[in-house]
Protein backbone atom coordinates (compact mmCIF):
# COMPACT_ATOMS: atom_id res chain seq x y z
CA UNK A 1 0.00 0.00 0.00
CA UNK A 2 1.40 3.39 -0.95
CA UNK A 3 1.79 6.23 1.52
CA UNK A 4 -0.80 8.24 -0.45
CA UNK A 5 -3.36 5.41 -0.18
CA UNK A 6 -2.70 5.13 3.55
CA UNK A 7 -3.23 8.87 4.02
CA UNK A 8 -6.49 8.74 2.03
CA UNK A 9 -7.76 5.80 4.07
CA UNK A 10 -6.87 7.50 7.36
CA UNK A 11 -8.62 10.68 6.21
CA UNK A 12 -11.70 8.64 5.24
CA UNK A 13 -11.74 6.87 8.62
CA UNK A 14 -11.35 10.22 10.38
CA UNK A 15 -14.23 11.78 8.45
CA UNK A 16 -16.43 8.71 9.18
CA UNK A 17 -15.65 9.09 12.89
CA UNK A 18 -16.36 12.83 12.69
CA UNK A 19 -19.76 12.10 11.11
CA UNK A 20 -20.67 9.86 14.05
CA UNK A 21 -19.54 12.29 16.74
CA UNK A 22 -22.60 14.60 16.85
CA UNK A 23 -24.92 11.57 17.09
CA UNK A 24 -22.84 10.04 19.88
CA UNK A 25 -22.68 13.35 21.75
CA UNK A 26 -26.46 13.64 21.43
CA UNK A 27 -27.14 10.10 22.67
CA UNK A 28 -24.65 10.47 25.54
CA UNK A 29 -26.15 13.81 26.59
CA UNK A 30 -29.70 12.42 26.39
CA UNK A 31 -28.82 9.37 28.49
CA UNK A 32 -26.80 11.36 31.05
CA UNK A 33 -29.46 14.05 31.53
CA UNK A 34 -32.29 11.48 31.71
CA UNK A 35 -30.41 9.63 34.45
CA UNK A 36 -29.36 12.79 36.30
CA UNK A 37 -32.88 14.22 36.37
CA UNK A 38 -34.10 11.10 38.22
CA UNK A 39 -31.36 11.75 40.84
CA UNK A 40 -31.78 15.52 41.17
CA UNK A 41 -35.22 16.54 39.86
CA UNK A 42 -35.98 20.25 39.56
CA UNK A 43 -39.79 20.08 39.42
CA UNK A 44 -42.35 17.55 40.68
CA UNK A 45 -43.57 15.26 37.91
CA UNK A 46 -47.11 14.01 37.29
CA UNK A 47 -46.63 11.08 34.89
CA UNK A 48 -44.62 7.83 35.27
CA UNK A 49 -41.17 8.51 33.79
CA UNK A 50 -40.95 5.40 31.54
CA UNK A 51 -44.32 5.97 29.86
CA UNK A 52 -43.58 9.68 29.43
CA UNK A 53 -40.15 9.14 27.84
CA UNK A 54 -41.38 6.29 25.59
CA UNK A 55 -44.24 8.42 24.26
CA UNK A 56 -41.98 11.40 23.60
CA UNK A 57 -39.43 9.21 21.82
CA UNK A 58 -42.19 7.81 19.58
CA UNK A 59 -43.27 11.36 18.65
CA UNK A 60 -39.58 12.24 18.17
CA UNK A 61 -39.04 9.25 15.86
CA UNK A 62 -41.75 10.51 13.50
CA UNK A 63 -40.31 14.01 13.44
CA UNK A 64 -36.77 12.69 12.91
CA UNK A 65 -38.03 10.69 9.91
CA UNK A 66 -39.76 13.84 8.59
CA UNK A 67 -36.57 15.88 8.96
CA UNK A 68 -34.63 13.19 7.10
CA UNK A 69 -37.19 12.97 4.32
CA UNK A 70 -38.03 16.66 3.88
CA UNK A 71 -35.50 18.98 5.52
CA UNK A 72 -32.18 17.26 4.86
CA UNK A 73 -32.62 16.93 1.05
CA UNK A 74 -33.48 20.65 0.82
CA UNK A 75 -31.24 22.35 3.36
CA UNK A 76 -27.97 20.46 2.90
CA UNK A 77 -27.76 20.99 -0.91
CA UNK A 78 -28.61 24.68 -0.32
CA UNK A 79 -25.69 25.01 2.12
CA UNK A 80 -23.43 23.33 -0.47
CA UNK A 81 -24.57 25.90 -3.05
CA UNK A 82 -23.86 28.74 -0.61
CA UNK A 83 -20.33 27.34 -0.37
CA UNK A 84 -19.91 26.99 -4.15
CA UNK A 85 -21.59 30.17 -5.35
CA UNK A 86 -21.20 32.53 -2.37
CA UNK A 87 -24.96 33.01 -1.91
CA UNK A 88 -26.32 35.09 0.97
CA UNK A 89 -24.91 37.72 3.31
CA UNK A 90 -21.89 36.20 5.04
CA UNK A 91 -19.80 34.95 2.08
CA UNK A 92 -19.88 38.51 0.68
CA UNK A 93 -18.22 39.96 3.77
CA UNK A 94 -14.92 38.12 3.24
CA UNK A 95 -14.55 37.25 6.94
CA UNK A 96 -11.90 34.78 8.12
CA UNK A 97 -13.42 31.27 8.01
CA UNK A 98 -13.72 30.68 11.82
CA UNK A 99 -15.30 34.13 12.30
CA UNK A 100 -17.77 33.53 9.45
CA UNK A 101 -18.75 30.16 10.98
CA UNK A 102 -19.26 31.71 14.43
CA UNK A 103 -21.36 34.58 13.03
CA UNK A 104 -23.43 32.09 11.00
CA UNK A 105 -24.14 30.03 14.14
CA UNK A 106 -25.18 33.18 16.07
CA UNK A 107 -27.47 34.41 13.25
CA UNK A 108 -29.05 30.95 12.91
CA UNK A 109 -29.70 31.03 16.66
CA UNK A 110 -31.32 34.48 16.37
CA UNK A 111 -33.54 33.52 13.44
CA UNK A 112 -34.58 30.38 15.37
CA UNK A 113 -35.74 32.76 18.15
CA UNK A 114 -37.95 34.52 15.57
CA UNK A 115 -39.30 31.19 14.27
CA UNK A 116 -40.12 30.15 17.85
CA UNK A 117 -42.09 33.38 18.38
CA UNK A 118 -44.00 32.69 15.13
CA UNK A 119 -44.87 29.15 16.25
CA UNK A 120 -46.66 30.72 19.22
CA UNK A 121 -48.19 33.74 17.45
CA UNK A 122 -49.52 32.18 14.22
CA UNK A 123 -52.65 30.10 14.93
CA UNK A 124 -51.81 27.23 12.54
CA UNK A 125 -48.22 26.93 13.81
CA UNK A 126 -49.39 27.13 17.43
CA UNK A 127 -51.77 24.20 16.85
CA UNK A 128 -48.66 22.18 15.97
CA UNK A 129 -46.12 23.65 18.42
CA UNK A 130 -48.73 23.15 21.18
CA UNK A 131 -47.99 19.39 21.00
CA UNK A 132 -44.52 20.21 22.34
CA UNK A 133 -45.99 22.42 25.07
CA UNK A 134 -48.85 20.21 26.22
CA UNK A 135 -46.45 17.73 27.81
CA UNK A 136 -47.55 17.66 31.46
CA UNK A 137 -43.95 17.12 32.60
CA UNK A 138 -40.94 18.91 31.20
CA UNK A 139 -37.82 16.78 30.90
CA UNK A 140 -35.02 15.89 28.47
CA UNK A 141 -37.42 13.82 26.34
CA UNK A 142 -39.69 16.87 25.85
CA UNK A 143 -36.79 18.45 23.94
CA UNK A 144 -37.43 15.97 21.12
CA UNK A 145 -41.23 16.02 21.26
CA UNK A 146 -42.22 17.99 18.16
CA UNK A 147 -45.11 17.14 15.86
CA UNK A 148 -43.87 15.90 12.46
CA UNK A 149 -46.07 18.49 10.72
CA UNK A 150 -44.30 21.30 12.62
CA UNK A 151 -41.00 19.95 11.33
CA UNK A 152 -42.40 19.83 7.78
CA UNK A 153 -43.65 23.44 7.97
CA UNK A 154 -40.30 24.64 9.27
CA UNK A 155 -38.46 23.52 6.10
CA UNK A 156 -39.07 26.75 4.09
CA UNK A 157 -37.94 28.80 7.11
CA UNK A 158 -34.77 26.73 7.49
CA UNK A 159 -34.07 27.02 3.74
CA UNK A 160 -34.48 30.81 3.95
CA UNK A 161 -32.14 30.96 6.97
CA UNK A 162 -29.43 29.12 5.03
CA UNK A 163 -29.79 31.08 1.78
CA UNK A 164 -30.23 34.59 3.22
CA UNK A 165 -27.60 34.36 5.96
CA UNK A 166 -25.28 32.42 3.64
CA UNK A 167 -24.66 29.33 5.79
CA UNK A 168 -22.00 26.87 4.59
CA UNK A 169 -22.29 23.12 5.40
CA UNK A 170 -19.84 23.11 8.34
CA UNK A 171 -21.56 26.07 10.01
CA UNK A 172 -24.95 24.39 9.48
CA UNK A 173 -23.87 21.11 11.07
CA UNK A 174 -22.17 22.91 13.98
CA UNK A 175 -25.32 24.91 14.66
CA UNK A 176 -27.51 21.79 14.42
CA UNK A 177 -25.33 19.92 16.96
CA UNK A 178 -25.04 22.87 19.36
CA UNK A 179 -28.79 23.60 19.20
CA UNK A 180 -29.68 19.97 19.84
CA UNK A 181 -27.35 19.80 22.85
CA UNK A 182 -28.70 23.13 24.11
CA UNK A 183 -32.36 22.09 23.85
CA UNK A 184 -31.68 18.75 25.56
CA UNK A 185 -30.04 20.67 28.42
CA UNK A 186 -32.61 23.42 28.91
CA UNK A 187 -35.64 21.12 28.68
CA UNK A 188 -34.14 18.80 31.29
CA UNK A 189 -35.64 18.49 34.76
CA UNK A 190 -32.20 18.72 36.30
CA UNK A 191 -31.73 20.72 39.50
CA UNK A 192 -28.51 22.70 39.24
CA UNK A 193 -27.37 24.96 42.10
CA UNK A 194 -29.22 28.25 41.64
CA UNK A 195 -25.96 30.22 41.66
CA UNK A 196 -24.68 28.12 38.74
CA UNK A 197 -27.82 28.85 36.73
CA UNK A 198 -27.63 32.51 37.66
CA UNK A 199 -24.27 32.64 35.88
CA UNK A 200 -25.30 30.43 32.97
CA UNK A 201 -28.48 32.43 32.15
CA UNK A 202 -26.30 35.44 31.45
CA UNK A 203 -25.15 33.60 28.34
CA UNK A 204 -27.31 30.56 27.55
CA UNK A 205 -30.81 29.20 28.18
CA UNK A 206 -31.03 27.03 31.32
CA UNK A 207 -33.60 24.55 32.74
CA UNK A 208 -35.17 27.07 35.14
CA UNK A 209 -35.35 29.74 32.43
CA UNK A 210 -37.00 27.42 29.90
CA UNK A 211 -39.26 25.90 32.56
CA UNK A 212 -40.93 29.32 32.80
CA UNK A 213 -41.64 29.23 29.03
CA UNK A 214 -43.48 25.90 29.55
CA UNK A 215 -45.75 27.34 32.28
CA UNK A 216 -49.53 27.38 31.69
CA UNK A 217 -49.60 31.11 32.61
CA UNK A 218 -49.81 32.94 29.25
CA UNK A 219 -47.47 35.81 30.23
CA UNK A 220 -44.83 33.23 31.16
CA UNK A 221 -45.29 31.13 28.00
CA UNK A 222 -44.93 34.44 26.14
CA UNK A 223 -41.38 34.86 27.43
CA UNK A 224 -38.01 33.09 27.18
CA UNK A 225 -38.20 32.12 23.50
CA UNK A 226 -34.44 31.75 23.00
CA UNK A 227 -33.00 28.31 22.17
CA UNK A 228 -29.27 28.89 22.54
CA UNK A 229 -28.07 32.33 23.66
CA UNK A 230 -30.29 34.10 26.21
CA UNK A 231 -29.24 37.38 24.55
CA UNK A 232 -32.26 37.42 22.21
CA UNK A 233 -34.76 37.52 25.08
CA UNK A 234 -32.72 40.29 26.72
CA UNK A 235 -32.66 42.34 23.50
CA UNK A 236 -36.40 41.92 22.89
CA UNK A 237 -37.44 42.45 26.52
CA UNK A 238 -38.97 38.97 26.68
CA UNK A 239 -36.84 37.58 29.51
CA UNK A 240 -38.57 36.31 32.68
CA UNK A 241 -36.35 34.75 35.32
CA UNK A 242 -37.81 35.05 38.77
CA UNK A 243 -40.59 32.48 38.94
CA UNK A 244 -40.08 29.63 41.39
CA UNK A 245 -40.07 26.25 39.66
CA UNK A 246 -42.26 24.62 42.31
CA UNK A 247 -44.91 27.27 41.60
CA UNK A 248 -45.01 26.43 37.88
CA UNK A 249 -47.68 24.19 36.35
CA UNK A 250 -46.21 22.73 33.15
CA UNK A 251 -48.32 22.42 30.00
CA UNK A 252 -51.08 24.32 28.21
CA UNK A 253 -54.25 25.50 30.00
CA UNK A 254 -56.80 23.59 27.91
CA UNK A 255 -55.08 20.17 28.22
CA UNK A 256 -54.74 19.17 31.87
CA UNK A 257 -55.50 15.47 31.89
CA UNK A 258 -52.96 12.64 31.27
CA UNK A 259 -55.72 10.85 29.26
CA UNK A 260 -55.60 13.71 26.71
CA UNK A 261 -51.88 13.36 26.04
CA UNK A 262 -51.62 9.70 25.00
CA UNK A 263 -49.58 9.06 21.84
CA UNK A 264 -52.53 8.83 19.42
CA UNK A 265 -54.30 11.83 20.89
CA UNK A 266 -51.13 13.90 20.88
CA UNK A 267 -50.53 13.17 17.18
CA UNK A 268 -54.16 13.89 16.29
CA UNK A 269 -54.28 16.97 18.53
CA UNK A 270 -53.77 19.60 15.76
CA UNK A 271 -57.06 18.46 14.17
CA UNK A 272 -59.12 16.89 16.94
CA UNK A 273 -57.75 18.58 20.07
CA UNK A 274 -59.55 21.24 22.12
CA UNK A 275 -59.38 24.73 20.61
CA UNK A 276 -56.37 26.66 21.89
CA UNK A 277 -58.36 29.06 24.06
CA UNK A 278 -55.68 29.72 26.66
CA UNK A 279 -58.29 28.84 29.32
CA UNK A 280 -58.43 26.01 31.82
CA UNK A 281 -61.15 23.34 31.39
CA UNK A 282 -63.27 25.24 33.98
CA UNK A 283 -63.03 28.44 31.87
CA UNK A 284 -60.60 30.31 34.11
CA UNK A 285 -57.54 32.03 32.68
CA UNK A 286 -54.36 30.92 34.47
CA UNK A 287 -52.58 33.72 36.28
CA UNK A 288 -49.92 34.12 38.91
CA UNK A 289 -50.50 36.09 42.06
CA UNK A 290 -47.41 38.00 43.06
CA UNK A 291 -45.55 36.02 45.68
CA UNK A 292 -42.28 37.24 47.12
CA UNK A 293 -39.37 35.06 45.97
CA UNK A 294 -36.58 34.63 48.54
CA UNK A 295 -33.47 36.37 47.29
CA UNK A 296 -31.36 33.22 47.57
CA UNK A 297 -33.61 31.57 44.99
CA UNK A 298 -33.65 34.45 42.51
CA UNK A 299 -32.15 33.84 39.09
CA UNK A 300 -31.45 37.49 38.42
ZN1 LIG B 1 -42.44 27.25 22.70
Amino acid sequence: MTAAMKTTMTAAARSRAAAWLPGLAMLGTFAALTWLETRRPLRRTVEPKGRHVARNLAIAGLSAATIRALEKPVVEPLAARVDRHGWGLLPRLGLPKPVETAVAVVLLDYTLYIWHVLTHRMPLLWRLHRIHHMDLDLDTSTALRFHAAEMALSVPWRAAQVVLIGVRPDALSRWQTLTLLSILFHHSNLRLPVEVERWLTRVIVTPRMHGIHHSIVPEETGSNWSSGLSLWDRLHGTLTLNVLQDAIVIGVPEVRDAEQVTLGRALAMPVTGPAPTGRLPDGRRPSRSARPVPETRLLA
Side-chain angles (χ1 to χ4, degrees), residues 29 33 46 53 63 109 159 171 186-188 190 200 215 226:
T29 306
L33 287 171
V46 297
V53 171
S63 37
D109 190 46
H186 65 239
H187 284 89
S188 76
L190 173 62
L200 287 176
S215 155
S226 303

Side-chain angles (χ1 to χ4, degrees), residues 157-235:
W157 185 266
R158 195 75 74 243
Q161 284 178 293
V162 169
V163 170
L164 296 177
I165 296 169
V167 180
R168 299 183 204 264
D170 54 345
L172 179 66
S173 67
R174 263 163 224 237
W175 171 72
Q176 285 168 329
T177 305
L178 286 172
T179 302
L180 202 48
L181 294 176
S182 172
I183 65 166
L184 287 174
F185 169 64
H186 65 239
H187 284 89
S188 76
N189 192 25
L190 173 62
R191 178 178 295 277
L192 293 171
V194 74
E195 20 340 313
V196 172
E197 272 204 39
R198 206 174 285 147
W199 276 98
L200 287 176
T201 49
R202 292 179 184 183
V203 185
I204 58 167
V205 182
T206 64
R208 284 180 175 89
M209 177 179 164
H210 201 68
I212 297 167
H213 177 66
H214 276 259
S215 155
I216 60 167
V217 177
E219 293 74 23
E220 293 169 3
T221 319
S223 67
N224 301 356
W225 317 89
S226 303
S227 296
L229 299 172
S230 59
L231 172 70
W232 316 123
D233 280 304
R234 286 175 206 283
L235 285 180

Side-chain angles (χ1 to χ4, degrees), residues 134-169:
M134 70 183 208
D135 215 358
L136 299 174
D137 291 317
L138 179 64
D139 67 13
T140 311
S141 72
T142 314
L144 306 173
R145 176 200 167 96
F146 287 93
H147 199 284
E150 181 181 349
M151 296 298 99
L153 288 186
S154 71
V155 175
W157 185 266
R158 195 75 74 243
Q161 284 178 293
V162 169
V163 170
L164 296 177
I165 296 169
V167 180
R168 299 183 204 264

